Every structure is written in structure tokens, then in C-alpha cells.
Amino acid sequence: MHERSSVAELAGTLRREVDRYSPGEKLPSSRALVERHRVSPVTVSRALAQLAVEGLVVTRPGAGVFRADRRGAAPEQGDTSWQEVALSAEAAADQVQRSVDASGVLATLSVPPPGVIEMSGGYLPSHLRPEKALSAALARAGRRPGAWERPPLEGVEELRGWFAREIGGPGGDVTAADVLVTAGGQSAITTALRALAPPGAAVLVESPTYPGLIAAARASGLRPVPVPVDTDGVRPGLLEGAFRASGARVFLCQPLFQNPTGAVLAAERRAAVLEAARQAGAFVVEDDFARLLAHEDAGPLPPTLRAHDPDGRVVHLCSLTKAASPSLRVGALAARGPVLERLRAVQTVDSFFVPRPLQEAALELVGSPAWPRHLRTVAAKLRERREAALTALAREVPALRVTYAPRGAYHLWLRLPDGTDE
């Protein structure tokens, strides 16, 4: 059973039991609750903390937990129906209506019921996360001199240097001065969209693509224009046509283990993609989200598009979140030229900066011997899971055809038989 589901169940039980006590009466000790409900001390502590947040109990260090005084009558519920009118007001005739639809993102972030295996999310399961290494890194980070000071707006220099080496590769020309630390990949996407395209503009996206990308574009008042992808990545001829037809100046792509097809942009297409962007005077936003999720049998990975871009056309983004933990929301944008200042300005206005303790913890993690060991473990386990999924699909639903089995990330893209009622 997941720890979070155990906490929720115990909190529900204690919530019902609190009514048996008078205001100010002491509840059983934590030890008694551990024995009675057969849960861990951590579960008891978190459940009691939840009840304290709800105002049902009061914790007094050294004395115990007591039922809180009775709360006053519930405040009168007002009429919020007016908000529907205000939120649905039409934009001016020359503006694009914003559409803030998080349904595609929420589907991947919702917590599954107890006993249900989550197969739609994009994060490692808890037993594959480096949680011991993360805890140790966070503890060390908190003791670093200046850990709670305000960081540079661009990010802690040492962490920017690490990202620069990861992005540029051996002998690469990416430096710390080219990097902006972000609050994970989704934040980096939103920052890039707002920095590169004015409201109402078209942006080119791969089809199919990650739902969160489309949601971020529409929430910024942009018009996503799809460009088809096959097993070799985006099709350059169609990309050129989309640039001409839409007037777009931004193309967002995932050249390595694309979400959801798993495609890797073929070597012969890479130069054509950059040339299409050059002809259109456009930026290419390279979402390199899966480089740390290569499977054990992936072989040498292709370089980034950024590696073949001397003119600053490619804005590169990456993140530690997918390979480490959903809560380690630390990523990076790498760019060259005036666009880097625009990216920094947008992020500063939106959120100031990424909290320094989180940056310091990320730096401690990637600098520890546990990090390369963790990546090797993940590479082996993802390969095992890919093969298990392919074997099960072939055995249980042979009518479903897997056109491409990627050797990185966590997607299998299936074609349903013709006539299927979806």
C-alpha cells in the first residue's frame, strides 16, 4: 500500500474518532495509535498533522495531542455564479481567446486509488526513485553556507555549470552563462512560449505531442499548429509547409524519445529541421526531457540539436524531475544571444527565481556517487519494463500493433484496429 493512501485512511479514521472526545481532552499517544492501527510512526505523525491543519486537534510538544475547541458556526456560503459570466467574457475582436484547460495535465498528475497501478503518468514509481540519495542531498544542502540566501536570478552558478556540461557534452561550447535554472520542464516550456511568441501567434508543435505543451500554449493565448511525426521524428517537408502557411516563428519539438511516440529524430532530418527554421526566421525549442531516461540497450545517443546550432536558433530545455522525483522541480533553459535575457526577464516577472535550497539539493544529488548508480539502475529497469510490456501486449491483445519500440523514456504508442470504438 502506498504511504500516502495509508495516511489518508488513518486520517479518516481519526477524524471520525475525534468526536468522541471533549474539547481539550487528550487523544491516545502516538505509540498507542501505532499499535492499535498497525501503521508506522511516520504514518501516525502525518495523519495527526493533517488533522491539525484542519483545526480538529492541537499538538502541544511534550504534552501530546488534544481535541481542539469547538469551532464556530460555518460561514455563510455566498453566491459565486457571477464568476461564470466574468470568466467567460469574450476577448476583443483582434485578440485570441485564452483557453486554460488543464484536463490533459491533470490526467497524468491525479493520484490513483489504492491498489491501482498508474500507467499514464510520466514519473518513476517510488521504488525506482533515489529517495535515500535525495534525502541525504537535501540534508547536506541545508547546511551549505548561504543555502537560505537569495540565489542569483539565473540560478546557482555551480548548478548552471553542471547543466551546461550536460547539454553541451564533451568539448561542448555551452557555458554557465548560457543557462537559466527553471522550476522543472513544464515551467521552462511556459517561459519559452511567453518569451518567444506574442499572444495570438501560431506555434508549431509535433503531432501527436505532450498534452501539457498544448495546454501551456493555449493558456498563453497562442495557436498550436500540428506537424505530423513518424517513427523518424518530425517530417521536414511538412514542417517547411507549416512555417509558410502559419507564419509561425516557433517550433517546439522533442527530438529524442518523443512523447508519446518514442521517436528519435533521424540523423538525415536534423539539418533539414534547422534549415526550415532558418528559412522561416524561427526559433526551435528543443525539449530534451528524456536524455536521462535512455534504456540499457539504447546505445550512443545522438547529440542535441543545440550542438549543431552556432546562431542561437535553438532554445534547449531539460529537467532533473523525470529521472529523480516529481518534487525535484529543477530544470534548465540554454540559449545564446538576446533571447536569453528575454527568457530570464519572463521567469523573473513570473516567479522571481527557483528556491535556492532546492537548487543546492539538486547540485548535491548530481554530484554524489549515488547519481550515476541511480541512472544505471533506471536504464536497466526501464529496459525490463519495456520488454515485459511488449511481451504482455503480444500475448494478451495481439490485434494491437506496436509500430515502434523506443529504447528510451516510457512510452509505447499503439495503433488501434480500424473501426475501433475509442
Side-chain angles (χ1 to χ4, degrees):
M1 181 180 293
H2 295 294
E3 176 69 29
R4 59 191 177 195
S5 63
S6 299
V7 172
E9 290 178 10
L10 180 59
T13 300
L14 296 179
R15 198 177 288 115
R16 293 187 294 271
E17 292 181 355
V18 161
D19 288 338
R20 303 176 188 174
Y21 298 87
S22 303
E25 187 176 354
K26 186 176 181 180
L27 273 64
S29 67
S30 295
R31 179 178 297 179
L33 293 175
V34 166
E35 294 175 356
R36 178 191 302 173
H37 298 283
R38 298 184 180 277
V39 294
S40 70
V42 172
T43 298
V44 169
S45 176
R46 290 179 177 173
L48 290 173
Q50 178 61 41
L51 266 60
V53 168
E54 296 172 10
L56 298 176
V57 299
V58 176
T59 301
R60 298 173 187 163
V65 178
F66 302 81
R67 180 177 174 178
D69 292 337
R70 296 186 187 277
R71 291 174 290 182
E76 179 183 356
Q77 295 296 318
D79 180 6
T80 61
S81 58
W82 66 270
Q83 295 181 6
E84 296 184 29
V85 177
L87 293 173
S88 63
E90 291 294 329
D94 60 345
Q95 293 180 327
V96 174
Q97 181 73 45
R98 289 192 310 158
S99 173
V100 186
D101 180 5
S103 57
V105 180
L106 291 174
T108 65
L109 294 178
S110 299
V111 177
V116 174
I117 298 174
E118 184 177 7
M119 299 189 72
S120 62
Y123 300 114
L124 296 175
S126 58
H127 63 278
L128 284 185
R129 298 175 201 151
E131 293 191 348
K132 289 184 178 179
L134 280 165
S135 297
L138 193 60
R140 293 195 301 271
R143 297 193 295 269
R144 280 184 166 223
W148 293 95
E149 297 291 336
R150 184 175 64 193
L153 295 179
E154 303 86 357
V156 172
E157 185 172 2
E158 294 90 338
L159 183 59
R160 290 160 53 215
W162 181 86
F163 273 118
R165 292 187 293 275
E166 288 291 303
I167 295 167
D173 63 346
V174 183
T175 69
D178 301 322
V179 174
L180 172 69
V181 176
T182 68
Q186 185 70 15
S187 176
I189 289 172
T190 301
T191 297
L193 285 170
R194 293 191 56 213
L196 301 177
V203 293
L204 305 187
V205 300
E206 295 169 316
S207 179
T209 191
Y210 162 55
L213 190 158
I214 296 175
R218 289 177 174 161
S220 298
L222 304 175
R223 296 184 291 111
V225 176
V227 184
V229 169
D230 60 22
T231 54
D232 287 327
V234 71
R235 297 167 61 182
L238 297 179
L239 179 64
E240 293 173 9
F243 272 127
R244 286 195 300 270
S246 68
R249 294 294 180 266
V250 180
F251 170 48
L252 293 97
C253 62
Q254 296 173 326
L256 184 64
F257 308 130
Q258 196 258 354
N259 177 352
T261 66
V264 177
L265 185 61
E268 61 272 16
R269 294 188 180 184
R270 297 166 67 85
V273 167
L274 292 176
E275 177 60 19
R278 189 188 71 79
Q279 292 286 348
F283 286 98
V284 175
V285 179
E286 178 184 26
D287 181 2
D288 200 29
F289 78 102
R291 190 164 292 269
L292 297 177
L293 297 173
H295 300 177
E296 193 176 40
D297 56 352
L301 299 181
T304 64
L305 289 180
R306 169 69 180 71
H308 300 291
D309 170 47
D311 301 325
R313 195 163 302 284
V314 176
V315 174
H316 181 99
L317 69 90
C318 57
S319 171
L320 289 171
T321 306
K322 291 287 192 298
S325 165
S327 288
L328 187 68
R329 305 214 61 79
V330 175
L333 283 163
R336 181 185 293 123
V339 69
L340 181 61
E341 179 56 34
R342 175 79 68 86
L343 291 164
R344 185 180 78 158
V346 169
Q347 175 167 282
T348 302
V349 169
D350 280 351
S351 58
F352 289 178
F353 46 78
V354 178
R356 183 162 192 151
L358 201 57
Q359 293 190 55
E360 298 283 5
L363 192 56
E364 288 282 354
L365 175 68
V366 299
S368 72
W371 180 242
R373 288 199 302 268
H374 165 67
L375 294 181
R376 288 193 296 270
T377 299
V378 168
K381 292 298 183 182
L382 288 179
R383 177 188 180 183
E384 288 178 13
R385 287 170 172 237
R386 181 196 73 211
E387 293 305 310
L390 290 170
T391 300
L393 284 168
R395 180 180 65 246
E396 303 294 340
V397 279
L400 292 182
R401 185 166 58 93
V402 180
T403 57
Y404 179 69
R407 297 192 175 187
Y410 36 72
H411 301 99
L412 286 178
W413 185 244
L414 307 177
R415 285 208 176 274
L416 300 178
D418 291 340
T420 301
D421 184 353
E422 298 170 359

